[in-house]
Amino acid sequence: MDITSIIAPLNDAQRAAVTAPSRAMLVLAGAGSGKTRVLVHRIVWQIQVNGVSPQSILAVTFTNKAANEMRGRIENLLENNAPNMWIGTFHGIAHRLLRRHAEQARLPKDFQVLDSNDQQRLIKRLLEDLKVDPKELPAKEIQWFINAQKDEGLRSKDLVRSEDKNAIRFSRIYGEYEVLCERSGVVDFSELLLRVYELLRDDELLRTQYQNRFSQIHVDEFQDTNRIQYLWLTLLSPARDNMFVVGDDDQAIYGWRGAKIENIYKFQREYPQHQIVKLEQNYRSTGAILKTANAIIANNKGRMGKDLWTDTADGEKIAVYAAYNEFDEAKYVVERIRHWVAAGNKRTEAAILYRSNAQSRQFEEQLMLTKTPYRVYGGLRFFDRAEIKNALAYLRLLANPDDDAAFDRIVNTPTRGMGSKTIDALRQLANEQQVSLWMAAILLSDNQQLSARAATALSNFLDLIMQFENRTMGLSLGEKVQFVIEQSGLMAFYSQDKVEKSAEKVENLKELVNAAAAFKYKPDEEENLSELAAFLSYAVLESSEPQADEFEDCVQLMTLHTAKGLEFPLVFLVGVEEGLFPSQQSIYDVGRLEEERRLCYVGITRAMKKLHITHAESRRLYGRETSPSKSRFLRELPVDFLDEVRPKSEVSRPITAKTPIFSTTTLPPEIKTDSHYQIGQHIHHATFGKGTIMNIEGEGEKERALIKFRGDSRWLMTIYL
């Protein structure tokens, strides 16, 4: 591949970033500006032109999808002539390092990784052992606290001593959790990053080895890094200016989960010789959409500053719809989607974006009512399904019998005659002897403290797991997984008709066997990992990502946070109201308000051709009826690029029954009905008094209306009005 072909597809700014001399580089990449292309071509340039060895390349991103896309494009450009490049997620790279250096990291060779659900189960068990009331202190709250400390690089021993009882309690539980994980030979996701940081920090020889190995470090979505990620990146690049980071301060929307936009500014301070390149040409959206996005984000202070632009036309204006309520809003959105599809477009090209998951219900109901296929993006993932997690727990126990989380999950799944007393006795003995549940089970089955039935059940379980190792020796990975699923009793259990969705669960277990059979494992001499352990690691790392099942031509529903990185020809940004977007918690906090504005900017820039923004004059949310004002973000939109689909009107005089609220402005054709009544119409009821029609369902004699009276709202049959 010659130099010309590497840079030919690039614009001037992209070319400047790709061909810059090796030094600290910050690429400010606006939405839709081709940041992945820049990363890919930069790596290819380093290998092809500067003679950098592929083994010296480290590229880190946030999702397996992004990492796989990057690797595939690089390999395609280099015609598969780039072996052993380290391209992966932060957690994936950390996992790879710990597998290679488990002993130096004070981990067992066959350590297992806990996903978020298993971590929470382990914490629940710990709280039970510590006699902590789960209502007073939920496991999820403890999980959040522990992960937050690890993201800051803090162990329980590092926490500031306090007289506050809650602080003392949280610190103690964190310490007990660390002991339990060490004893079980497991690490959670946050531990992967913290353990690698400690490994590199404390082992100078190892740190120097990797500093010398990775002569070029590339980081994607740099604005989303947290403290611990930044710390171990800089350990690998202490003084040499070999860090090439790509990010966008205008798309920093994950502060609530520990991401620090300050890392972009810290990078500039700690690498004073850095160079900045701005990517501002957008290849995704129309001019109207980009000018609207620029106007919104300009209200944030302290930005590094950039304006998106495109060489295409402005296109259609932004449609702004003021709905009467959430029912009217949902009807408007779904009708516009139906018009879109009727014009020959695909449903999958349309996305409904909302600030809170609680907003999805009305849209789902309206989509179902109109028989419009849809999916909620980020639904239950394959490796998160209960039957799959149970099967993986058996496999984890086969790989590491001391894995308490796995043991606890399947010791009585399927049920095998062990009651809660037996499980409690196991936990108590494990705590007293400071051993794993597996060892406690061996001790308990030998000392004849259990009833004959419980002792037999426990002994049979131990024999079952021990037989797995002997009877699966020499089998392929797919055969091994199939054997364990069948012999554990899971396949028979899920084949029973009384189990909910039994056929689907059986199919999922069969698919797990297929996944194992298709798993391609490339042994790494330094990691010395068994094929089973590698597959288990793959499964837990895959389950960490918000990926959705694929369905055919469905409307996409998702939160604004989930939408980052995606794009759609048709986008509906809904519920843009004060207290909802921006959220109530952020209104009086400048920092949080600016993050909400960045989230709005992200939502707007997901749209390629057409953007609709909606808000409601009345909304029932979280069980409460409200009359929200439209969001300040709407007031920040440039009016030249707006199309008010139905201007909001004020009514100051009484309206007679069956008279629409709007006497001069008619409803859009897409939300008219054949009814004698209309949404927004004022009526007078003999019993309940004056009211306003908020929604209409059904036809003829079955037609009913949701009417908001002074006290509350009621569904009434229209034939009785």
Side-chain angles (χ1 to χ4, degrees), residues 49 84 114 148 192 198 224 260 263 266 473 482 508 562:
V49 178
N84 301 323
L114 296 176
L192 286 172
E198 293 172 337
D224 293 337
K260 295 188 179 297
N263 286 346
K266 184 185 285 188
M473 200 172 295
Q482 182 172 357
N508 287 336
T562 304

Side-chain angles (χ1 to χ4, degrees), residues 697-705 716-719:
E697 290 183 356
E699 297 176 351
E701 293 183 355
K702 294 183 179 180
E703 182 185 72
R704 65 175 187 160
L716 299 175
M717 304 302 293
T718 57
I719 59 173

Side-chain angles (χ1 to χ4, degrees), residues 268-430:
Q268 295 176 77
R269 292 194 304 270
E270 296 184 357
Y271 293 81
Q273 303 302 316
H274 73 277
Q275 178 182 349
I276 295 179
V277 174
K278 296 181 181 181
L279 305 183
E280 297 173 293
Q281 184 175 1
N282 177 282
Y283 293 92
R284 174 189 298 157
S285 307
T286 65
I289 290 170
L290 296 180
K291 289 169 185 174
T292 301
N294 288 335
I296 282 278
I297 203 62
N299 290 278
N300 274 2
K301 309 301 181 185
R303 297 172 57 234
M304 297 190 68
K306 67 182 177 314
D307 284 319
L308 299 179
W309 61 274
T310 179
D311 56 10
T312 61
D314 281 346
E316 293 187 57
K317 290 184 176 183
I318 313 303
V320 178
Y321 183 71
Y324 294 112
N325 56 23
E326 67 269 27
F327 305 104
D328 181 27
E329 179 184 50
K331 283 189 173 182
Y332 169 78
V333 169
V334 173
E335 282 301 317
R336 296 320 308 157
I337 291 173
R338 293 175 70 186
H339 278 264
W340 171 265
V341 174
N345 301 296
K346 294 181 178 179
R347 297 185 191 91
T348 194
E349 295 175 336
I352 304 172
L353 311 183
Y354 36 78
R355 178 63 181 85
S356 165
N357 275 311
Q359 295 171 253
S360 74
R361 185 176 65 85
Q362 293 299 337
F363 297 101
E364 292 189 62
E365 287 185 0
Q366 191 62 30
L367 288 163
M368 286 189 286
L369 188 66
T370 57
K371 295 182 172 58
T372 306
Y374 73 94
R375 65 167 173 157
V376 179
Y377 192 93
L380 194 61
R381 297 155 294 194
F382 178 76
F383 288 112
D384 273 347
R385 291 166 177 148
E387 63 275 18
I388 299 301
K389 290 179 71 65
N390 288 337
L392 291 173
Y394 274 102
L395 294 165
R396 282 167 49 192
L397 213 56
L398 171 59
N400 173 21
D402 291 325
D403 185 340
D404 275 6
F407 186 101
D408 196 45
R409 184 179 187 93
I410 46 86
V411 64
N412 205 31
T413 303
T415 54
R416 48 177 56 89
M418 276 184 280
S420 58
K421 288 185 178 180
T422 305
I423 306 300
D424 290 343
L426 274 173
R427 291 176 176 173
Q428 182 177 345
L429 184 60

